[in-house]
Amino acid sequence: MESIIEQLQKTKEYTVTEIGAEGTKVNKISNYRAINSKTEEAKVVDEIATADLVTCAVGPNILKFIAPVIAKGIDKRTASKPVAVIACENAIGATDTLAGFIKDKKNTPEDRLSTIDDRARFANSAIDRIVPGQKPDAGLNVEIESFYEWVVDKTPFAEHGHPEISAIKWVDDLNPYIERKLFTVNTGHAAAAYYGHARKKETVDQALEDSEINKIVRECLAETSNLIVKKHGISTDEQKAYVEKIIKRISNPYLKDVVERVGRAPLRKLSRKERFVGPASQLAESGDKIDALLGAIEQAFAFVDVEGDEESAELSKILKSNEPKEVVGKVCGLEETHPLFSKIVPIVEKVQKSLK
């Protein structure tokens, strides 16, 4: 990260290229500043103290590390309008998580917590855009998918009003958008990647060219669609159209999205509220079909010892050093009494046998 900051400091502009079936669009990015919080923390604090908006896209596991400097910046604010803090992560309630770290007494003095709303408002978001692996010689230049969706909860801003950002869709109830995105885009993307990895496919689009994998991914999304339609009142036709749009997006051959990149961090992806166990647990509670999701969960557990992915190595250790029930509790966060627990235990047993 430090080398990227140094490059940004030395470079006046870089490009972001949008890639879609309709072609490419090159955007030049300029008029920015890059500050290293490790070496110039005071400058970062000053920027946050005078900013209108603080966003991040660092990965859910990194939020605790960036919270201290954000907390210092918020605490230093004197402006009458609070700063908007929005975490743009592939996780439910990521801004709430970040806010929790910021409000920890290690980062914000206890006597300042009662008035923190005067200085900052925290809004959860649902962010959707595929950023594939980049070319080795790309430098600062980035290639991204042309499609995007950025939906943010407007209710925390109340009397102050939300920031005017044209790219954001502001809503009163974010949960339907979060779950629809996480349980469709992320579930389908990861399922294609894990099955693709198992069948030696290089990219997600190549995986989805395999008729069996394509069918399995569609079955996974049929199960999650059942949950989304029932829970959030989205029409069956609207959800079907959304699924088709997502499959078309992740099948885009121009993205060259490597399956190991999409599948990385399997421990997070197998956790309680994530893209597989999240919908499967809710469906299991209502007695609905989850066969395809269980198959995807098996493939995710089998994603071990992948080069460059620390979580896949850690998953391998957990599988080799724990009993199946312990693995399910530790990785998936399920209690033994949950109806999904007993369905995942034999999956873990099967994967463990294959590792011996």
Side-chain angles (χ1 to χ4, degrees), residues 248-263:
K248 182 179 179 180
R249 285 174 56 202
I250 64 178
S251 299
N252 185 349
Y254 299 104
L255 289 175
K256 295 181 173 58
D257 213 358
V258 177
V259 295
E260 285 76 20
R261 185 203 75 82
V262 178

Side-chain angles (χ1 to χ4, degrees), residues 176 179-184 221-235 239 242-243 279 283:
E179 289 206 335
R180 185 182 72 161
K181 185 264 176 176
L182 186 62
F183 298 163
T184 309
L221 297 187
E223 291 174 1
T224 59
S225 291
N226 180 32
L227 172 66
I228 292 164
V229 168
K230 285 183 178 179
K231 184 176 180 180
H232 297 299
I234 295 170
S235 74
Q239 180 60 18
Y242 184 69
V243 166
L283 288 164

Side-chain angles (χ1 to χ4, degrees), residues 270-274 276-285 290 294 297 301 324-345 347-348:
L270 282 165
S271 63
R272 183 66 175 80
K273 294 181 179 180
E274 264 284 348
F276 296 127
V277 177
S281 63
Q282 295 181 58
L283 288 164
E285 288 167 7
I290 54 171
L294 289 172
I297 288 170
F301 268 110
K325 288 184 178 181
E326 294 173 329
V327 173
V328 177
K330 185 176 290 188
V331 175
C332 302
L334 292 167
E335 310 79 23
E336 285 196 42
T337 55
H338 195 282
L340 182 60
F341 188 94
S342 62
K343 296 180 184 297
I344 298 182
V345 170
I347 288 173
V348 171

